[in-house]
Amino acid sequence: MTAPVLSVRDLVTEFDTRAGALRAVNNVCFDVMPGEVLGIVGESGSGKTITGFSIMQLLDKPGKVKSGEILLNGKDLGRLGDTELRQLRGDRIAMIFQDPMMTLNPVLRIDTQMIETILAHRKVSHAEARQLAEDALAQVGIPSPAERLKTYPHEMSGGMRQRVVIAIALMLEPDLIIADEPTTALDVTIQSQILFEMQRLLSNRNMGLIWITHDLTVVAGLAHKVAVMYAGRIVEFGPVSDLLDRPAHPYTRGLIDSIPSNASHGKRLTQIPGMTPNLLNLGKGCPFRPRCPRASDICASDPETSSTGDGRTVRCHNPIEEGLDDTASAT
Amino acid sequence: MSAIPVESPFRRFVEDFVRSPTAVIAAIGVLGIACVAIFAAQIAPQNPYDLAEINIMDGSLPPGSVGFDGFHYWLGTDEQGRDMLSAMIYGLRISLSVSLIAVGSAVAIGMSLGMLAAWSGGRVEAFIMRAVDIQLSFPALLVALLLLAILGKGIDKVIIALVLVQWAYFARTVRGAALVEIRKDYVMAARCLALQPMRILFGHVLPNCLPPVIVIATVQVANAIAIEASLSFLGVGVPITEPSLGLLISNGFGYLLSGRYWISFYPGVVLLVTLVCINVVGDHVRDILNPRMQK
Amino acid sequence: MLAYLIRRFGQSLLVMAVMATIVFFGLYMVGNPVDLLINPEDDLAAQEAAIRRLGLDQPIYIQFLQFLKGIATGNLGVSFVHNTPALELILSRLPATLELAFFAMLLAILLGIPLGMIAGLYPSSPGSRVIMGGSIIGFSTPNFWQGLMLIMLFAVFWRVLPSGGRGQTTDLFGIPVSFLTLDGLKHLILPALNLAIFKIALVIRLSRAGTSEVSLQDYVKYARARGLSEKRIVGVHILKNILIPVVTVLGLELGNVIAFAVVTETVFAWPGIGKLLIDSIGLLDRPVVVAYMMLTVFMFVMINFFVDMAYSMLDPRIRIKAGKS
Ligand SMILES: Nc1ncnc2c1ncn2[C@@H]1O[C@H](COP(=O)(O)OP(=O)(O)O)[C@@H](O)[C@H]1O
Ligand code: SF4
Ligand SMILES: [Mg+2]
């Protein structure tokens, strides 16, 4: 059996705010295999980005990884020094940020930013680095890459910039890429172009990819496995088709039902009622309880993560059983 | 939360202000300096301009000396035997009054022109704002210096020069603040109803311009003091008969190289303390008023 | 870009014309030009000859045209005291002032930016507090008193540096400069520092504010995510972004530096145009004062013009906008 590229064990990340400790990531566990795409799905504020930054060890103050292990190829990133981390970032583990408009430095040309990344990790000449950068741009489908290299970020559209960022991520053939909602800020048409491009680029590589999104449909086309996050926890985890066909957690069910194409004609779209909880005063019990159609008295205690076989886990006292899955969406 | 009674803006301002110890110390400093200037005649050990009180035999004594007739010169004397401490207290009064009068006039003129620009719009506004731009593109000290080179020395002329270099700051700020207010619905409505413009301007628009004007005026008082001191040092400021702190320092310049540092040093320290106190208070007032201005 | 350049240049010419008009009519409104431009110590016949020579007996609009022509041809009158053309006199003193201003700016950049960035990167460290405290004091003390204190310490008490003058100069492309000899350099340090203190304080404030704002931007985090060294992040990614406002403000301050050179040159007896102005005011040498006015107006308009140009080169976003409009 191959070893996972990334293995996250019981990750807890907190922000020490003035109003108390805010637990943005709560006991998160998952593995990413070489060549595998893991989708992380959840509403805004559920802790997806903070999970990504925890892995990168790039949390802003006052954020801090409180406990847990983040093993990249077996090496615990939390125990590495600044220099070792710097050497890994951009080389073995790359990240794509959400907003392409804010990601590239506005006063530096594209070539400067690409070449500096290469030179930070490889002992190559400036000319070789430029060639590498040009190839990387060509690979992500940017026309006339040699000219594009000489432009400033603001001279490109958002979609183009995100392609540049993807090119930078792929450039040094990392073991793992974390893509944090890379298409959310883009137009729908550009979004699907980039998704298509991404699938093509991944097909013959052996890298792990974490694709963070709030959009289940994106995950359906791209990911092998899905982790559904709610209030800092992974509430359901499993292979993508399995999980989407037969969701076990009421929250996953709610997410699926709110996808427009899933509702048959004439039927109103279902929405998950209520709002995302305030992480500062969660109280005891299941955090989804105020919004959950299946909540019962037992939900006053926080459910544990349990395995349901087939590589699936769920964190719920009353998971949806097979065949009974219509009850939740009956209204 | 809801139990807290509605506070007056002034009270909230004071509560915010006292939260910073540095600002409180600086504010006490400003008050103290103002008191010294106001009661100069009562506080100063000597009247430095009463020739009967000055003894030429006591000229250029270092700090702490006892004079010919037993008078204690804590900060020494100048070449004419004038007590430096007293000269500084009187000098402070001149420095402060010159800059306060100048800034007061600049506020009045700048606010009027700023409101006029905002209210009338069109050509009037364009003309006033163009003048502001040109005025602000030249350094204040140089404009004042060249003006005084033509006008000649004198307290009144220094004040005119200071007003000329400062009105533009207020005009620009007030126009900006006034425009925000004038565009609001109720002012539009009042204008349509042909209510008296003066009542709208002074009743509604003016009060809203005050916070930024207060902030800038504080800073400009410090600037005016510094510019006046520089002008006097350069010999185009206040006349020798009414020496400000700047002129005192200038007088001591000639004696500095022979080691009689105190004639220049102590007036400079007073100037420094005054300006630091005003600037710290000004900075803090701006920090408090700023978020509210944006709301 | 070219269209922008031309339009901006036209604006500059307009401001020049407006200022010339103001100076000209200022001479008539505040005083009699005869008093301002004719040496009162000449005898009556000489004065009348001068009045005729200067065209002061002509109608005002002709005089105005003459004045404009004088500006265009560089004929701004003759100094009473030195008996040389005023413009020539000023230009001969200009290199000393420019040398001083240049070194002051250099000090402001070399000291102000690193100190400000340290204060911005580590806002709560004791070092940063000292830097910020120092910058408040640098801001608040009048320039001339700082100069006197520098003289008091370095020239009177410690006797390590001279108190004034320009020292030994050498010719660089035919222009006398101080900084190439040790003696000249010694004379340059104190006045340059004196002129720089205010700017250092200003640059510290700007760089600190810029650094703390830029550090929070996504692109800085992204630079870290790409594994760049801290040196490169601070020295390139942050520095280049804060450089835009700092350079703009410093460029605009160039005029202020020349204005405050009047003070510094007076304190340190530095033979530049500032000292010449103060001496001329003292000696009632008015043609020199008027020529100084017109020359400074010209310089300011040009400085504003070049700052705008430099700004649009540094910031690619503006460059594009300017190019399109
Ligand atoms: N700098 C911060 N300070 C305090 N709380 C933060 C900070 N950044 C994020 N959080 C908290 O962490 C939670 C998770 O945020 P995030 O991971 O950005 O959500 P998302 O799933 O939308 O990416 C949010 O609810 C937010 O309250
Ligand atoms: S634990 Fe209870 S409240 Fe929470 S999701 Fe499951 S059923 Fe709903
Ligand atoms: Mg996010």
Side-chain angles (χ1 to χ4, degrees):
Chain A
M1 223 192 108
T2 45
V5 190
L6 179 77
S7 186
V8 176
R9 292 276 153 267
D10 300 313
L11 178 66
V12 176
T13 302
E14 285 183 357
F15 287 87
D16 281 320
T17 65
R18 247 177 282 156
L22 183 153
R23 188 165 283 205
V25 179
N26 191 342
N27 274 310
V28 160
C29 298
F30 58 78
D31 285 348
V32 181
M33 293 296 171
E36 183 177 75
V37 180
L38 168 72
I40 299 186
V41 191
E43 288 167 307
S44 162
S46 56
K48 307 181 297 289
T49 299
I50 301 302
T51 305
F53 282 135
S54 302
I55 297 170
M56 295 292 289
Q57 307 282 326
L58 274 179
L59 290 166
D60 289 324
K61 277 181 206 163
K64 206 168 180 276
V65 173
K66 284 281 144 116
S67 61
E69 288 182 328
I70 298 157
L71 305 168
L72 182 77
N73 295 319
K75 228 189 281 176
D76 190 349
L77 297 183
R79 289 168 197 273
L80 295 184
D82 285 343
T83 319
E84 288 165 293
L85 276 173
R86 192 184 69 65
Q87 284 164 354
L88 287 178
R89 287 187 203 125
D91 185 22
R92 294 300 86 218
I93 171 171
M95 186 153 178
I96 300 168
F97 285 32
Q98 173 163 354
D99 188 352
M101 297 308 203
M102 315 290 286
T103 314
L104 292 163
N105 194 321
V107 301
L108 298 176
R109 292 199 324 206
I110 302 296
D111 52 359
T112 314
Q113 303 192 48
M114 292 187 84
I115 291 171
E116 70 183 355
T117 314
I118 300 169
L119 294 182
H121 299 291
R122 297 277 187 280
K123 284 205 159 54
V124 294
S125 73
H126 206 269
E128 287 169 307
R130 172 174 291 276
Q131 190 55 50
L132 200 62
E134 199 182 316
D135 296 345
L137 284 191
Q139 219 175 32
V140 295
I142 291 183
S144 47
E147 275 106 78
R148 280 297 180 178
L149 271 179
K150 296 199 190 97
T151 56
Y152 285 93
H154 64 87
E155 296 170 62
M156 295 182 165
S157 65
M160 270 304 158
R161 289 191 220 185
Q162 199 61 301
R163 279 168 198 262
V164 171
V165 175
I166 292 171
I168 293 177
L170 292 168
M171 196 164 55
L172 295 171
E173 302 273 337
D175 300 321
L176 178 74
I177 295 181
I178 302 173
D180 184 9
E181 309 211 31
T183 58
T184 305
L186 304 175
D187 289 347
V188 186
T189 45
I190 313 277
Q191 221 178 77
S192 50
Q193 275 175 23
I194 289 200
L195 278 176
F196 177 77
E197 208 69 61
M198 217 48 210
Q199 276 170 324
R200 183 178 66 80
L201 290 165
L202 287 171
S203 60
N204 47 14
R205 285 170 209 256
N206 214 24
M207 59 179 69
L209 173 66
I210 296 179
W211 192 276
I212 296 174
T213 176
H214 61 260
D215 188 349
L216 263 182
T217 50
V218 169
V219 158
L222 192 69
H224 303 113
K225 289 187 199 153
V226 187
V228 180
M229 279 191 85
Y230 189 80
R233 307 136 201 259
I234 291 184
V235 292
E236 184 164 14
F237 183 90
V240 64
S241 50
D242 212 18
L243 185 139
L244 291 183
D245 287 348
R246 292 176 291 112
H249 197 281
Y251 177 63
T252 316
R253 169 91 255 176
L255 283 181
I256 293 172
D257 287 344
S258 54
I259 300 172
S261 60
N262 273 27
S264 46
H265 255 306
K267 194 175 161 189
R268 286 184 70 189
L269 277 181
T270 3
Q271 275 195 343
I272 305 174
M275 304 235 295
T276 44
N278 178 354
L279 293 181
L280 264 178
N281 42 25
L282 268 186
K284 274 185 277 179
C286 174
F288 190 54
R289 194 172 164 217
R291 309 168 71 185
C292 181
R294 299 172 67 86
S296 60
D297 289 348
I298 188 176
C299 304
S301 74
D302 201 358
E304 295 283 319
T305 304
S306 54
S307 171
T308 56
D310 308 330
R312 293 184 59 169
T313 63
V314 64
R315 195 165 172 174
C316 174
H317 288 298
N318 308 317
I320 306 162
E321 312 280 332
E322 225 173 313
L324 293 172
D325 53 353
D326 276 354
T327 49
S329 58
T331 48
Chain B
M1 282 281 182
S2 54
I4 295 174
V6 181
E7 299 170 86
S8 75
F10 180 73
R11 197 160 145 208
R12 227 168 64 192
F13 176 82
V14 171
E15 277 172 9
D16 281 347
F17 192 90
V18 297
R19 228 169 265 154
S20 157
T22 327
V24 171
I25 292 171
I28 293 172
V30 170
L31 285 181
I33 289 164
C35 286
V36 170
I38 293 169
F39 301 108
Q42 286 72 34
I43 295 172
Q46 193 188 57
N47 179 351
Y49 305 109
D50 182 357
L51 290 178
E53 286 190 40
I54 299 171
N55 193 336
I56 194 80
M57 304 293 279
D58 290 345
S60 300
L61 292 179
S65 301
V66 178
F68 207 70
D69 49 9
F71 191 88
H72 217 114
Y73 297 111
W74 295 107
L75 298 180
T77 62
D78 68 6
E79 75 283 5
Q80 286 158 354
R82 197 173 276 145
D83 175 37
M84 278 313 294
L85 179 63
S86 308
M88 279 162 50
I89 292 173
Y90 276 77
L92 183 67
R93 175 150 85 174
I94 293 170
S95 291
L96 284 187
S97 35
V98 166
S99 46
L100 283 176
I101 295 171
V103 172
S105 319
V107 166
I109 295 175
M111 281 187 88
S112 314
L113 287 173
M115 288 211 289
L116 179 67
W119 185 258
S120 14
R123 288 237 181 99
V124 177
E125 183 180 32
F127 181 77
I128 294 176
M129 295 327 288
R130 212 54 214 141
V132 166
D133 285 345
I134 294 181
Q135 173 70 62
L136 292 182
S137 71
F138 291 91
L141 178 66
L142 202 57
V143 173
L145 176 64
L146 291 173
L147 192 70
L148 288 170
I150 294 174
L151 294 179
K153 281 187 191 189
I155 286 195
D156 47 344
K157 289 160 186 161
V158 171
I159 292 175
I160 293 175
L162 287 173
V163 172
L164 184 84
V165 298
Q166 294 201 323
W167 70 273
Y169 295 101
F170 298 104
R172 186 168 65 180
T173 312
V174 166
R175 172 183 162 266
L179 273 185
V180 172
E181 202 62 22
I182 283 174
R183 294 209 180 108
K184 285 189 181 156
D185 287 346
Y186 76 88
V187 177
M188 293 285 191
R191 275 185 104 163
C192 290
L193 293 173
L195 285 190
Q196 279 176 332
M198 285 303 148
R199 262 183 64 189
I200 308 175
L201 278 176
F202 286 97
H204 299 284
V205 179
L206 186 73
N208 281 290
C209 302
L210 281 180
V213 167
I214 290 169
V215 172
I216 293 175
T218 322
V219 178
Q220 290 303 339
V221 167
N223 268 347
I225 294 174
I227 294 176
E228 181 279 318
S230 303
L231 292 170
S232 298
F233 173 79
L234 292 173
V236 293
V238 297
I240 194 83
T241 47
E242 290 160 297
S244 64
L245 290 172
L247 196 58
L248 290 176
I249 299 173
S250 176
N251 288 340
F253 183 29
Y255 304 92
L256 190 66
L257 290 179
S258 54
R260 277 171 278 174
Y261 68 91
W262 58 89
I263 308 177
S264 280
F265 179 73
Y266 290 112
V269 172
V270 173
L271 200 53
L272 170 66
V273 171
T274 308
L275 296 177
V276 168
C277 286
I278 297 178
N279 280 337
V280 169
V281 170
D283 267 11
H284 197 62
V285 170
R286 185 190 55 212
D287 289 348
I288 298 174
L289 291 182
N290 239 341
R292 255 176 238 165
M293 269 148 55
Q294 281 156 8
K295 258 180 213 170
Chain C
M1 188 70 198
L2 188 69
Y4 176 67
L5 201 136
I6 292 169
R7 205 184 49 209
R8 187 62 191 71
F9 191 74
Q11 270 175 19
S12 302
L13 284 183
L14 191 71
V15 174
M16 271 296 293
V18 169
M19 291 313 288
T21 315
I22 291 176
V23 169
F24 178 78
F25 288 99
L27 287 180
Y28 278 88
M29 284 199 300
V30 223
N32 182 351
V34 175
D35 294 346
L36 286 167
L37 297 171
I38 301 298
N39 193 345
E41 271 148 41
D42 287 352
D43 61 47
L44 229 88
Q47 286 195 15
E48 283 189 354
I51 286 177
R52 234 167 296 121
R53 182 167 45 80
L54 292 172
L56 293 181
D57 48 353
Q58 305 278 334
I60 192 159
Y61 71 91
I62 297 207
Q63 290 191 36
F64 184 52
L65 290 177
Q66 291 285 337
F67 179 74
L68 289 183
K69 200 176 131 206
I71 293 173
T73 54
N75 175 10
L76 293 171
V78 176
S79 158
F80 300 154
V81 178
H82 301 263
N83 225 342
T84 43
L87 189 63
E88 210 171 280
L89 186 65
I90 293 177
L91 289 179
S92 74
R93 301 288 192 91
L94 193 58
T97 299
L98 291 182
E99 184 179 19
L100 191 60
F102 174 78
F103 276 91
M105 286 300 212
L106 201 65
L107 279 177
I109 291 173
L110 293 183
L111 294 176
I113 292 180
L115 289 176
M117 288 184 82
I118 291 173
L121 289 171
Y122 316 102
S124 46
S125 77
S128 302
R129 274 159 211 245
V130 171
I131 293 172
M132 292 323 290
S135 98
I136 288 192
I137 292 180
F139 248 127
S140 298
T141 3
N143 205 256
F144 67 93
W145 189 69
Q146 290 168 352
L148 295 189
M149 291 306 106
L150 288 176
I151 291 181
M152 185 178 100
L153 292 177
F154 290 93
V156 178
F157 288 172
W158 299 330
R159 297 175 181 283
V160 286
L161 289 169
S163 68
R166 217 183 156 186
Q168 193 188 343
T169 57
T170 24
D171 277 9
L172 184 71
F173 308 121
I175 297 165
V177 292
S178 294
F179 73 97
L180 290 175
T181 64
L182 183 66
D183 181 56
L185 208 53
K186 274 186 171 174
H187 281 82
L188 181 58
I189 294 177
L190 287 186
L193 183 64
N194 178 221
L195 193 50
I197 291 178
F198 196 82
K199 307 298 148 202
I200 296 174
L202 181 72
V203 173
I204 286 179
R205 281 192 167 200
L206 288 170
S207 322
R208 185 194 64 141
T211 304
S212 47
E213 195 190 308
V214 169
S215 313
L216 298 175
Q217 298 296 315
D218 261 11
Y219 54 78
V220 171
K221 202 169 193 184
Y222 180 60
R224 291 215 165 83
R226 284 184 287 142
L228 302 186
S229 65
E230 208 57 24
K231 208 171 86 196
R232 186 155 176 101
I233 290 171
V234 173
V236 176
H237 285 252
I238 296 181
L239 180 64
K240 255 205 126 174
N241 275 285
I242 66 164
L243 225 43
I244 294 169
V246 170
V247 166
T248 319
V249 174
L250 259 192
L252 290 172
E253 286 288 318
L254 192 64
N256 251 317
V257 170
I258 288 173
F260 272 94
V262 172
V263 176
T264 299
E265 288 175 6
T266 307
V267 173
F268 290 91
W270 185 267
I273 56 170
K275 180 142 177 32
L276 176 68
L277 174 70
I278 296 300
D279 291 346
S280 302
I281 291 174
L283 296 168
L284 301 178
D285 194 353
R286 283 150 194 151
V288 179
V289 177
V290 173
Y292 181 95
M293 280 187 204
M294 285 321 301
L295 194 73
T296 28
V297 168
F298 177 72
M299 259 185 332
F300 273 86
V301 171
M302 283 296 117
I303 288 169
N304 283 338
F305 176 72
F306 284 115
V307 167
D308 269 13
M309 290 296 118
Y311 187 67
S312 62
M313 310 249 177
L314 254 179
D315 192 336
R317 287 164 292 190
I318 295 233
R319 195 156 67 208
I320 281 296
K321 247 186 269 157
K324 276 182 188 153
S325 60

